[in-house]
Amino acid sequence: MTDPNAIQPSALDQLPDRDPEETAEWQASLDAVAKAAGPHRAAYLMRRTLERAEGTGIALPKLLETDYVNTIPTAAEPSVPGDEAMESRITAWNRWNAAAMVSRGSKHGVGGHIATFASAAWLYETGFNHFFKGKESQDSPGSGDQLYIQGHASPGIYARAFLDGRLNEDHLDNFRRESGGGGLPSYPHPRRLPWLWEFPTVSMGLGPLSAIYQARFNRYLTNRGIKDVSASHVWAFLGDGEMDEPESTAALALASREGLDNLTFVINCNLQRLDGPVRANFKIVQELEAQFRGAGWNVVKTLWGTAWDELFQLDTTGALVRRLREVPDAQVQTYQTRDAAYIRQDFFGKDPALVEMAKLLSDDKILECFHLSRGGHEARKVYAAYKAAVEFKGAPTVILAQTVKGFTLGEGFASKNANHQMKKLTADEFKAMRDLLDLPIKDSDFVDGVVPYGHPGADSPEVRYLQERRAALGGPAPARRVHPVAPLPAPAEKAFASFDKGSGSQNVATTMAFVRLIKDLVRDKETGKRWVPIVPDEARTFGMESLFPSLGIYSPKGQTYEPVDRDQLMYYKEAKNGQILNEGITEAGSMADFIAASTAYSTHGEAMIPFYIFYSMFGWQRTADQMWQLGDQLGRGFLVGATAGRTTLTGEGLQHADGHSPVIAATNPAALTYDPAFAYEVATIVKDGLRRMYGEAAPGEDPNVFYYLTVYNEPLPQPAKPQGLGIDEGIVKGLYRFNTAESAALSPTANAPRIQLLGSGTAIHWVLQAQKLLAEEWGVAADVWSATSWTELRRDALEADAALLRGEERVPYVRQALHGAEGPVLAVSDYMRQVPDQIAQWVEQDYSSLGADGFGLSDTREAARRHFGVDAQSIVVAALAQLAKRGEVKATAVKEAREKYGL
């Protein structure tokens, strides 16, 4: 049996020890200290020794956890360069108005959150007064700092905007009441309040992920020479419960790997999530510290207020620190609500040394420490942490600030498990809060029990101080600006027109057509540098490796190695000024890149043109939440779902076969979804997208949209663009006639039955085959239409319906286009039938559809299409069935066709 006290083998035993006797002496000294002074003293000495080693540059692995105390000792705290008393009064007004706004709104049943901002007020106020640079900042003009505000804290931000005059009482009374205009959105929503909010954050987890990639994109802009934003700092305000979201910590290693010291996470550790403690039986602060330290971040813990200084001075045995480490978070929360006698017994009574310490403390002192004194509630503690963060170089910083959820809201709120769902205070609770905050609000101001808003006056010392501090830091914050920049010039027409002639005898997939188009566009002298190609480690799959040597892959370190393929024409080239963002296997990270690039026009006043190309089935089904974030943030650019369709990606199987991305995309109002069939359609759509998003949008067009294009990996002949008026308009609006039976030289007989075949994407090639079979084998004339966007056709039709209800005469475009077309309509796509069925109710002709419903499967393209019933022969049978129903072909023709084609 192994002796548990025996010295275990060490990995260091693999290394030669040049002086074993010296090693043994050090070990014996440690044993002696542990025996004479106890293991805690020995641990303390080891910690101090490790600190000294790190300070002198001796390379040692860092400890992942430190004691449950502040990182910055009181003696090392800098003084706050301002009027702390004035800042305290400003914070008191903001606390009051945030609570009043939500309480007043509760009578309308619209909800709101009070407790989060109550815990975090000083975390924001200290930043607004001393750190957060505005858009007019001298060292970061037009950019300032980027603030990711915790969504549930939005009432406090509105309260501050009310104090500085950017909002009035009517705005506050319309919190969460937007439909009449002039209301305030519940959370940070740029699309709803575009002059204030820059970043939507309340879909928890997306804020921290986006903040990391925003900081990284700032470096990208600087290193590429687009704009020097090196003075911009990204601040992300998060909740400790939010850190459970996988996205919250998904990119921590990226931030440290690239040395993003322009980034600070401020995690409000009030130890509570929505329904109870974050880590009831554990300690979330210690867990987060280990996680961030392990990822290479600088960690600053701001846990205890100045009232604790006396206790730590009395802790000569280390008993207090040990006890703080072992008490679980839920018990700390309980101390917040219990009396001094309970705390004496439960906290101090566990250790004789603490019992003696407690004898030196009054009940008031114990309650001050356990009820009130948290590092996140003291301006000096927060200022010290922020100053340390912005001055630290070489790595990002996370500040773990301990607070009390519901602080200053009274005993009914503070640390209660239910406080996230509590929407109002009673009049008596407000009066107690008023007295605690020492605000000049009279009892008579409560009219009919309604809590009043409080404001010291537009010319009061508080407002002047607030505005002076913001002026010194570069203007109000948060603030979103769309700078008055000239539209980007349109690229040369040659880049787009080269696709009009088709590919002749060469087979070209639409994925390759898109990449070829981008190759030409990035060479444009005016706008080429503004393209941001983004790909999640699949560039070679999409034929993009040819861009590596010419554009380079962005890396802040450049290329510190000789690539294995250096002797090849398309070698792997990384560069500090590289243009391509090749993110590795992270669709979420790639989308965060896209969001940062697509909103640079407002964040930094620099229009960038991102395109993110990805396996279509790993786009919307994996990161649709970020697509909503993109739409909320008013992002612009091109999402490209490559290897699209349920039957086009051969052999990959169930999860890889995309039959649904256009369905999900159709739910996003900001997404313009296109399923182009031909190369010239891709070029026409991209050209129009550049005009709308970056050039001169037409009256009534919203430029704050993004395009989703599906492209395919099936090499096929690319036809020439049909001649005639309205082709480009039809491509952009979603439908045009590609050919007729006559123009296809199929010579149907006179008075032949006729059908209209609509196809999108790669399906149009099966439709064209079916057109030929119908003419040659069944005497049916079929006209073929390319449906480039089922979704845009539906949206236009919905708008036409709404116009009719307003008394306006308007005919949907799909009805105009198909007007007079003879016979029934059969629509086909490589997606589930729900995609083409979007337009069914607006088609006057008899309408039916074919699609690839169900799960995908592994097989050849031909076999998969036969399985789903969308191949050319299946289309023929479906077309004959439609005509037979109308009596235009024999009923037996359907059975004959099934047997003929083996269906």
Side-chain angles (χ1 to χ4, degrees), residues 4-174:
N5 296 317
I7 301 298
Q8 299 299 312
S10 165
L12 295 175
D13 293 339
Q14 298 180 70
L15 307 176
D17 188 344
R18 68 179 186 181
D19 194 341
E21 185 176 345
E22 181 185 33
T23 302
E25 289 174 357
W26 277 78
Q27 291 172 333
S29 297
L30 181 63
D31 292 342
V33 171
K35 183 176 181 180
H40 301 297
R41 177 62 180 170
Y44 177 82
L45 291 175
M46 288 300 299
R47 293 281 298 280
R48 296 310 296 258
T49 302
L50 288 171
E51 284 181 357
R52 174 57 62 89
E54 183 178 350
T56 55
I58 298 174
L60 284 172
K62 292 184 178 181
L63 296 177
L64 294 185
E65 285 187 35
T66 60
D67 286 327
Y68 204 66
V69 297
N70 294 346
T71 302
I72 303 171
T74 300
E77 292 171 358
S79 58
V80 179
D83 187 334
E84 291 188 53
M86 182 67 72
E87 292 175 17
S88 181
R89 292 204 297 275
I90 292 170
T91 306
W93 284 116
N94 291 339
R95 287 182 182 278
W96 177 271
N97 287 320
M101 175 176 60
V102 177
S103 290
R104 288 166 66 120
S106 66
K107 67 182 179 182
H108 302 291
V110 294
H113 301 284
I114 304 176
T116 293
F117 177 73
S119 67
W122 274 113
L123 302 180
Y124 290 106
E125 198 60 39
T126 303
F128 285 129
N129 284 327
H130 301 286
F131 291 94
F132 304 157
K133 293 187 287 291
K135 294 292 185 183
E136 287 77 44
S137 169
Q138 291 184 359
D139 59 356
S140 189
S143 297
D145 286 352
Q146 288 78 59
L147 308 180
Y148 288 77
I149 305 295
Q150 191 179 2
H152 292 135
S154 62
I157 307 305
Y158 291 141
R160 197 172 206 275
F162 170 65
L163 203 63
D164 73 9
R166 292 196 290 166
L167 294 175
N168 57 39
E169 288 193 12
D170 287 341
H171 290 121
L172 300 192
D173 268 346
N174 281 293

Side-chain angles (χ1 to χ4, degrees), residues 566-694:
R566 182 63 180 85
D567 57 343
Q568 298 178 16
L569 181 63
M570 293 183 286
Y571 67 96
Y572 196 83
K573 177 186 175 182
E574 297 188 77
K576 191 172 183 179
N577 64 346
Q579 195 164 350
I580 301 170
L581 292 173
N582 191 342
E583 288 303 354
I585 305 175
T586 168
E587 288 83 5
S590 299
M591 268 306 302
D593 267 336
F594 187 90
I595 292 170
S598 70
T599 54
Y601 74 93
S602 61
T603 308
H604 295 298
E606 295 288 343
M608 305 299 289
I609 313 172
F611 77 86
Y612 164 34
I613 187 167
F614 49 88
Y615 266 66
S616 63
M617 65 287 169
F618 293 143
W620 285 90
Q621 78 176 33
R622 179 165 291 197
T623 57
D625 193 11
Q626 288 177 287
M627 274 78 161
W628 277 98
Q629 178 189 9
L630 168 65
D632 191 346
Q633 203 166 319
L634 291 83
R636 306 169 182 174
F638 297 94
L639 296 177
V640 184
T643 61
R646 180 145 281 165
T647 70
T648 305
L649 186 60
T650 57
E652 292 287 353
L654 183 149
Q655 192 174 356
H656 280 62
D658 172 24
H660 53 280
S661 69
V663 177
I664 307 174
T667 66
N668 191 312
L672 276 60
T673 303
Y674 286 90
D675 186 26
F678 305 123
Y680 67 79
E681 293 178 356
V682 173
T684 301
I685 293 164
V686 171
K687 178 183 176 182
D688 191 71
L690 290 172
R691 174 200 61 79
R692 177 170 177 171
M693 295 185 291
Y694 300 96

Side-chain angles (χ1 to χ4, degrees), residues 519-537:
K519 284 182 184 178
D520 289 338
L521 293 176
V522 296
R523 295 191 187 105
D524 185 83
K525 292 182 179 180
E526 295 290 335
T527 60
K529 68 178 182 179
R530 298 192 175 273
W531 283 89
V532 183
I534 303 168
V535 61
D537 200 34

Side-chain angles (χ1 to χ4, degrees), residues 192-343:
R192 290 296 180 218
L193 200 61
W195 60 267
L196 180 74
W197 298 119
E198 275 198 289
F199 307 107
T201 55
V202 84
S203 186
M204 286 189 279
L206 299 191
L209 178 69
S210 295
I212 290 174
Y213 281 88
Q214 181 66 57
R216 197 275 195 101
F217 191 74
N218 289 356
R219 291 281 174 85
Y220 173 91
L221 286 177
T222 301
N223 289 336
R224 286 199 53 221
I226 302 294
K227 182 180 181 181
D228 184 359
V229 293
S230 54
S232 287
H233 200 88
V234 178
W235 300 82
F237 288 84
L238 318 168
D240 47 1
E242 181 177 6
M243 300 312 293
D244 285 348
E245 291 283 4
E247 296 88 352
S248 294
T249 54
L252 298 187
L254 167 70
S256 61
R257 183 170 66 245
E258 298 201 0
L260 298 181
D261 50 25
N262 60 339
L263 169 67
T264 297
F265 276 15
V266 181
I267 303 181
N268 178 15
C269 297
N270 57 35
L271 313 185
Q272 288 182 248
R273 53 189 178 200
L274 307 188
D275 288 327
V278 178
R279 293 290 183 272
N281 297 297
F282 306 93
K283 300 191 81 64
I284 185 59
V285 169
Q286 300 299 90
E287 179 182 320
L288 291 174
E289 179 184 26
Q291 191 170 16
F292 278 87
R293 284 187 185 276
W297 286 54
N298 175 45
V299 178
V300 177
K301 293 198 291 191
T302 302
L303 308 180
W304 308 111
T306 53
W308 284 84
D309 289 350
E310 179 183 342
L311 277 66
F312 289 126
Q313 289 299 313
L314 294 172
D315 186 28
T316 58
T317 65
L320 176 62
V321 172
R322 292 196 300 275
R323 182 68 179 135
L324 289 174
R325 281 179 62 90
E326 69 188 20
V327 176
D329 283 352
Q331 191 63 21
V332 174
Q333 182 182 344
T334 297
Y335 293 149
Q336 177 69 32
T337 65
R338 303 301 290 271
D339 59 19
Y342 178 88
I343 298 171

Side-chain angles (χ1 to χ4, degrees), residues 338-513:
R338 303 301 290 271
D339 59 19
Y342 178 88
I343 298 171
R344 283 183 187 278
Q345 178 181 351
D346 191 85
F347 182 84
F348 292 96
K350 302 295 185 182
D351 188 299
L354 292 180
V355 172
E356 294 303 311
M357 179 188 293
K359 292 178 181 178
L360 304 175
L361 304 174
S362 67
D363 285 356
D364 286 345
K365 182 65 176 181
I366 289 175
L367 293 178
E368 180 186 14
C369 288
F370 284 85
H371 285 192
L372 303 175
S373 190
R374 298 289 189 275
H377 295 322
E378 296 189 12
R380 180 168 175 152
K381 302 291 184 186
V382 177
Y383 181 87
Y386 286 7
K387 190 170 188 293
V390 297
E391 292 179 353
F392 190 86
K393 300 303 176 186
T397 294
V398 59
I399 295 168
L400 304 175
Q402 187 163 265
T403 66
V404 174
K405 193 167 185 177
F407 190 65
T408 74
L409 297 180
E411 294 181 359
F413 263 87
S415 280
K416 292 299 195 310
N417 280 339
N419 60 20
H420 185 77
Q421 302 301 329
M422 297 163 68
K423 312 300 182 187
K424 60 182 178 179
L425 283 73
T426 66
D428 288 340
E429 287 172 327
F430 265 112
K431 290 172 184 177
M433 180 183 177
R434 170 202 62 190
D435 296 340
L436 176 64
L437 298 176
D438 192 25
L439 291 172
I441 296 173
K442 302 185 293 294
D443 286 354
S444 59
D445 293 334
F446 289 78
V447 179
D448 296 328
V450 177
V451 59
Y453 294 121
H455 199 293
D459 195 39
S460 64
E462 292 94 332
V463 173
R464 288 201 307 272
Y465 181 90
L466 181 156
Q467 293 175 341
E468 287 168 2
R469 291 304 310 142
R470 289 312 314 158
L473 288 165
R480 181 180 179 273
R481 298 283 186 270
V482 177
H483 305 273
V485 294
L488 293 182
E493 181 63 27
K494 180 181 178 182
F496 306 103
S498 62
F499 294 91
D500 291 353
K501 61 185 178 182
S503 64
S505 60
Q506 182 183 9
N507 289 337
V508 177
T510 51
T511 299
M512 185 55 65

